[in-house]
Amino acid sequence: MDHIVKFPPVVSVSPITLEAPGRDYPLQVRASVPAYGEQLPVIVFSHGFGSSMDAYAPLVNYWAAHGFVVIQPTFLDSRTINPDPRAEHSEAIQAYLQDPRKPMMWRYRVEDVKRVLDQLDFIENSVPGLKGRLDQNRIAAIGHSFGAQTTATLLGTRVINADGSLTEDMLDPRIKAGVLLSAGGRGGEALSSFANEHFPHLNQSYVQMNTPTLVVAGDQDKSPLTTMGPEWFTDAYKLSPGANSLVTLIGGEHMLGGISGYLVTETTDESPDGVEAVQQLTTAYLRSVLYHSDPAWSSACTDFQENPNPIVQITSK
């Protein structure tokens, strides 16, 4: 099904430490790069809660092997920089609820991505053999779960304050395309009491998100953050003018078949076919948005929709 030309092996370099004055912990990133090729587009990937720059190898390796430079920052909520890391995701959540930085964490993440974009030249010079090969006019942002909210904010979404006003616009015009994986949906009555109490930043408005965006959701993604069920994770597509395509993974839960790593314990819906679909469709979408003459997206949609045993449902506006 892969119609895109073959790409070289991948070189990954980490940690690359960026300037981040006043940050609690050094801002470190991983850069995964095709071994050769010129004018390479960039993906900045935002991990989910508690994860790090070392995760999501099934996606990152695929994107880099197909011609993208992938940059992964480690955010301050990462368990890898916690002095008392919790092995279980549920334990990490409970510890996070007591973190005094929690109300501002969504902002810190957005600031970190902007720092990455500000220091692309430094990153380019820090990876052997990369200098002069980046195309900084073709930048995409992708995020999963908490990272999807980070990405959506950079694409134009706004958090709704308690008084009904909107937070400031944090759109970054350097980002030309986005992909939201398992992104939380609308706020208000759609939020559970738990979400309202602990994560008021999930009360968000997608009306201002105009950047071209692909939304990927699992039709079995059941979250304690919402009263809506799996449909909540399709709101980013339904409510924003910029999100022009939706991929719904049939049978997919929050990890979309296992995108966060190989043989990871948090994946409850392990599906190599599902991961492959996410790999191929996200890559095809970005190529067609960043290179307007590239037919990758329409070709991939046709291929998947002609499958007699569909793994995804694709909807476009």
Side-chain angles (χ1 to χ4, degrees):
M1 187 180 296
D2 192 351
H3 56 277
I4 302 174
V5 296
K6 297 299 181 182
F7 281 85
V10 172
V11 176
S12 290
V13 176
S14 69
I16 301 170
T17 302
L18 306 184
E19 290 188 6
R23 196 175 187 267
D24 289 350
Y25 192 89
L27 174 56
Q28 297 183 328
V29 304
R30 170 183 291 272
S32 298
V33 181
Y36 49 86
E38 303 297 328
Q39 289 295 295
L40 302 171
V42 178
I43 292 173
V44 181
F45 182 79
S46 296
H47 64 72
F49 167 76
S51 190
S52 75
M53 64 182 175
D54 295 318
Y56 296 90
L59 294 183
V60 172
N61 292 345
Y62 187 91
W63 293 327
H66 286 73
F68 291 87
V69 172
V70 186
I71 302 171
Q72 299 172 264
T74 292
F75 298 116
L76 289 171
D77 56 271
S78 173
R79 280 177 281 183
T80 65
I81 61 175
N82 190 318
D84 182 24
R86 307 303 174 94
E88 296 294 328
H89 184 74
S90 59
E91 292 179 338
I93 289 286
Q94 290 303 314
Y96 180 64
L97 296 181
Q98 309 305 317
D99 190 329
R101 303 170 301 174
K102 177 171 66 72
M104 294 291 291
M105 192 63 75
W106 69 277
R107 288 180 174 272
Y108 296 154
R109 281 168 150 260
V110 172
E111 291 170 3
D112 282 346
V113 175
K114 288 180 178 287
R115 288 180 174 125
V116 170
L117 296 177
D118 290 342
Q119 297 177 67
L120 282 178
D121 287 341
F122 177 80
I123 295 171
E124 185 174 358
N125 291 328
S126 299
V127 178
L130 181 59
K131 185 174 177 59
R133 297 169 58 208
L134 279 188
D135 184 349
Q136 295 193 26
N137 292 315
R138 289 187 169 95
I139 298 174
I142 305 179
H144 174 244
S145 194
F146 196 178
Q149 194 210 20
T150 304
T151 300
T153 304
L154 292 155
L155 299 175
T157 64
R158 309 275 285 277
V159 171
I160 304 171
N161 296 313
D163 63 1
S165 64
L166 297 177
T167 55
E168 72 273 24
D169 185 1
M170 300 181 193
L171 170 75
D172 197 307
R174 291 172 291 188
I175 299 171
K176 308 304 182 186
V179 177
L180 304 181
L181 307 169
S182 304
R186 72 189 72 189
E189 294 181 356
L191 296 180
S192 66
S193 57
F194 174 77
N196 273 312
E197 178 181 358
H198 295 289
F199 307 113
H201 60 272
L202 291 177
N203 188 23
Q204 55 194 338
S205 168
Y206 280 100
V207 175
Q208 298 79 19
M209 193 177 84
N210 291 297
T211 309
T213 300
L214 169 66
V215 177
V216 182
D219 69 358
Q220 298 300 313
D221 190 351
K222 300 170 184 177
S223 172
L225 299 175
T226 181
T227 60
M228 285 181 59
E231 184 182 357
W232 189 58
F233 292 97
T234 66
D235 275 348
Y237 169 73
K238 295 174 181 175
L239 302 179
S240 72
N244 48 23
S245 292
L246 168 67
V247 170
T248 303
L249 187 63
I250 298 171
E253 298 179 15
H254 201 62
M255 294 300 172
L256 300 172
I259 62 171
S260 62
Y262 299 110
L263 303 176
V264 288
T265 56
E266 69 262 31
T267 298
T268 57
D269 62 332
E270 187 173 1
S271 169
D273 289 342
V275 173
E276 183 179 15
V278 175
Q279 291 170 331
Q280 294 182 1
L281 287 167
T282 54
T283 302
Y285 179 84
L286 291 182
R287 291 204 65 84
S288 289
V289 173
L290 296 176
Y291 302 90
H292 297 305
S293 62
D294 194 317
W297 175 245
S298 59
S299 297
C301 289
T302 298
D303 289 346
F304 275 95
Q305 289 169 336
E306 290 180 349
N307 189 328
N309 298 303
I311 187 72
V312 297
Q313 178 181 348
I314 303 172
T315 308
S316 294
K317 295 176 182 174

